[in-house]
Every structure is written in structure tokens, then in C-alpha cells.
Amino acid sequence: MPAAWVRFGRVLLAAMATLGVVLAPSVAQAMEIALPAARLGAASAVAGLYAAFCGAIILVHRRRRLRASAAAAAMASGDGEVLLVAFASQTGLAEQLAWQTAQAVKEAGSGVRILPLDEVDEAQLAAASRVLLVVSTTGEGDAPDNAIGFARAMMGAPQSLGHLGYGMLALGDRSYDGFCAFGHRMEGWLRSAGAQPLFDMIEVDNGDGDALRRWQHHIGVLSGNDDMPDWVSPRYENWTLKARQRLNAGSPGDPAYHIVLTPPDAGATWQAGDIAEISPRNSDEDVTAYFSALGLDDREVTLADGTRQPLRDVLASSVLPCGGDPAAVQGLTADDLAVGLKPLPHREYSIASVPADGDVELVVRQMAHPDGRLGHGSGWLTAHAPVGATVALRVRANRSFHGPADDCPMILIGNGTGIAGLRSHLRERILAGRAANWLIFGERTQAHDFHFRAELERQAAHGHLRISTAFSRDQAVRIYVQDVLRSEAAELREWVARGAAIYVCGSLQGMAAGVDAALDDILGPDQLEYLRTTGRYRRDVY
């Protein structure tokens, strides 16, 4: 609703309160409530204006709903599954973010339908296999106006949503006790109905850009549209690529590298669980291929915002057009090429070190496109950037994966490059003298994929760590971390009874869902939900 309408309505309501009028005069007279003639006349005028105001608001709302429904129908395109995007918005931010989300999915070539939450019914949820929810909380934990009907009709009755995968962006304000309360209430209902999270709920405090970028990252992964420009641009610092070493030579899996980055000053700090966000660059080889295709030397070009930059720098930091095929840009001028470029999106990696180590350490697996070209982030860090090069990086706090404040036992579960987030917690706890740590780690082969083996076995030998492993390719029947959990169910229950916190880091597909199902079987849904709501079950999955 436009701010001018809101201000006008408040003025009218204040005038009515001054006159002592709550009901329209005709209603007051019918109820035999006596009003002085002068006040009755003034009240009639004010009430008339207020009625006109309400009528205008209803008309505007109806028109907006019609436009939104028409636009939603137009948005639904693409082959195969149509992904549902639903929003519960009070001030308009949730609606705006829902439309951005839907547009990103559509640009990836997927069908998408967007609706306000009060237009989502049981049949639509039954027909959908995936839904993305953008929901705000108003007042002290209340549902927005356009979610009240849904909350009453749908959330007030049992549902069966075992077929449904969901992702949720919850908007709120930490200055209120009920921060993101409606989002949490809705997620609790979804889980109780059997729906499965596509990724952990993302909380947004007053439009926090970091949280919105995490949401965008997940949307890119889900839709396959990981080249969309960032909605919110951050400020990076220049870190130095200090060292790079392959961790899994000879592995049947894709190469994984230990990356070490030195901060620009000694004051950089972070906590175990935090994220390193980098701004990648294209390889010099790819950029040079475009120069050859254009037949130009390096020169300054004018960008869409009117600024001028060297073309080589622009190409290095942009999504290369025409699918990376330089031959397709022949005949374009340098300025024409530059105006259409989109900046490369950021990439996120779990930090594997603690500030006492002095450097940010990462574990990065090389990702390749079908044509063999390396992914933007992994290609830049593992192959294209020479050791000693500058890497644009910032550390992002990830409060939802910070460690327990007390000295409780800790069970760390993960696979593959998820060892990074688990290693930082282990190093932090061992430095603090906390020895009740249990690592359950899975990978392909023990001989080639036991990342940081010597370090972990040394910690175990000193009594700081218990290790359980699952190497899936080392036997005829493949085993995974969720299988280890089931085989050690009694020990797991005993640790949880002692107050243990469970932290999971690694792949969303397969591992995270498998671990969640195993914990549900071992501990029971009620206890697992208790661990989740009390912060003793946390995940950093991707």
C-alpha cells in the first residue's frame, strides 16, 4: 500500500478518535447512542471520508490482485515441472523478493507460478513438488494480512505433504521478540506435514544483504541459473592466494584442493562456521580469446552505468557472452559488447581454519561444465589464479552454524568438502580445551579421499577426537555417513543424552537428507525437533 494512503488513513482515524467516534453515525443512531449535533455532523463528514478511503483501498487492492494474477499466469512457462513461489507480505518487501526469485527461476528455463499465500490451497500444494516461500512476520510474531486465511484454513488442519520439497526465506526484525516467528511457525507446520527442506530456512533481519545473497545462491543452485548477477553488491577486500594443494590425487572423484588465503591485514577475524565469499574472475586465456575475436587491443569501454573501465578488466569479471564462445561476438564493437555484460556472481565456501591459524583455508572441489570449462569459483581458485594473485574476498558471519557457547559434547557429521566447516569447529574446540568431539566423515576412498587424515588422527591420538568413517567405494556394498549413524545408534543416543550438539556440513543432495532421516529414526521426530529448535542440531549444507 502506498505510504500516502497509509498517512491519509491515519489522519482520518485520528480525527474520528478526537470526535469520540468509532462507528459510523448512522450505526450509532441505530444503536441509540446519543451524539451532540455538531459532533454528529463533523463525525458524518469524517466517517464519509473514511468510507471513501476504505473503498479506494479495496479497489486498489483488487486491481493489484488482478494484475498479480495475470502476471503470475504469464510467468508460468517452461517445460516440465512448474515451481511454485508463494509470498506473505505486509509492507511489500516479501512480494518484491518473491518476484525476483520467480524471475531467476524463469530465466533458467524452468516453469514457475507465483501467488500470494492466501491464494495457495490444498490442491495447489498437492500438485506441486517444490515450493519456494518468502514470508514476513508482522507485529509481535503475527502472520501478514495476506497469510491469515492460509494460516487458519491450511495450517490449522492436518496435511499430508510428504511429496513436497520447500525452501523458505523468512523476513523479520531482531528488535522484536517474535523474530521471524511466522516463518518458524510455518516451517514447523511443513515439517509436521512431512515436507522436506530443500535447504535450511534463511532468516533476514531488516533486509540483511548477506542473508538475501544466501537465498539467491540457493535459488541459483536449485534452478541451474548460477550465473545470475547478485541482487545485492557487497564490498570485498584484496586477499592473497598463498598456497594451493590437491588433497585427493588418484581419487575417482573430481579434484579437491586445499586453498590458503592471506588477509590484507592482521586484523581479520572470523568464527568457526563462517563463510568465505569470493568474487571470481575468468582465466586470462578466455579473456584473450575474446580480444582475438574482436581484433582489438585493450582499451577503455563505457559500461551501462556510464563508467569507463579497461575492457580486459570488464571481461575478466563478467559472465562471458554467447556461452563462452568468442567466435559469436565477431563484428561487435568493444562498447557494444561491454554494455551487455553481466558481472560474475559470487561463490561461497565454508572456512576450514580459525583466526589463530592466520589465514583463511578452504576446501574447493573443481566443478566443470559439460563442455569441460571449469566453474567460475572453483576454476578461479584451483586453476586460473596463480599463487600470489589477488583474490577479492570477504568473510561473512554465519550465525546459524556457530558453535555451542557451552562445553557440551559435539557430533560433527559431513562428507566431501564439508570437512572444511567441520575442521574449523574441531580446531576452535581443541584450542578451547574441549575434547568431547566425534567426527563422522564420508568420502569415496580411504587411500585418496581422507582429507587432513594425519591431522585428524593426531587429534584422536591425543584424546581430542573420536573418528568414524564411511568410504563408499572401498567395498562392494556402498556405505555412507547415514549408515554409520545407524550402526552406532546406541552411542549416538548416549552422546545426545549427555547434551551433545549435532552439526552437519556437506552436500545437500543425498547426504543431508539421509542424515536427517537416520537421526529421525534413531532419536525420534520429537527429540530431533527439540534439538533443532534449541539450536543443538545445525546444518551448513549446499
Side-chain angles (χ1 to χ4, degrees), residues 184-195:
H184 284 285
R185 193 160 74 248
M186 190 170 185
E187 183 179 52
W189 168 75
L190 286 164
R191 287 183 180 277
S192 68

Side-chain angles (χ1 to χ4, degrees), residues 316-404:
S317 59
S318 300
V319 177
L320 294 174
C322 304
D325 178 11
V329 301
Q330 289 180 344
L332 286 179
T333 68
D335 283 320
D336 288 341
L337 175 66
V339 168
L341 293 177
K342 296 180 179 180
L344 284 170
H346 74 281
R347 291 293 184 263
E348 298 182 350
Y349 301 96
S350 300
I351 296 177
S353 57
V354 293
D357 297 320
D359 300 309
V360 157
E361 300 178 36
L362 312 175
V363 180
V364 180
R365 191 180 301 280
Q366 275 189 354
M367 306 299 292
H369 297 288
D371 63 1
R373 289 183 302 113
L374 296 178
H376 296 313
S378 66
W380 176 236
L381 290 175
T382 67
H384 303 325
V387 172
T390 295
V391 174
L393 180 150
R394 71 178 191 127
V395 172
R396 176 173 64 74
N398 185 19
R399 286 188 293 269
S400 64
F401 204 62
H402 284 172

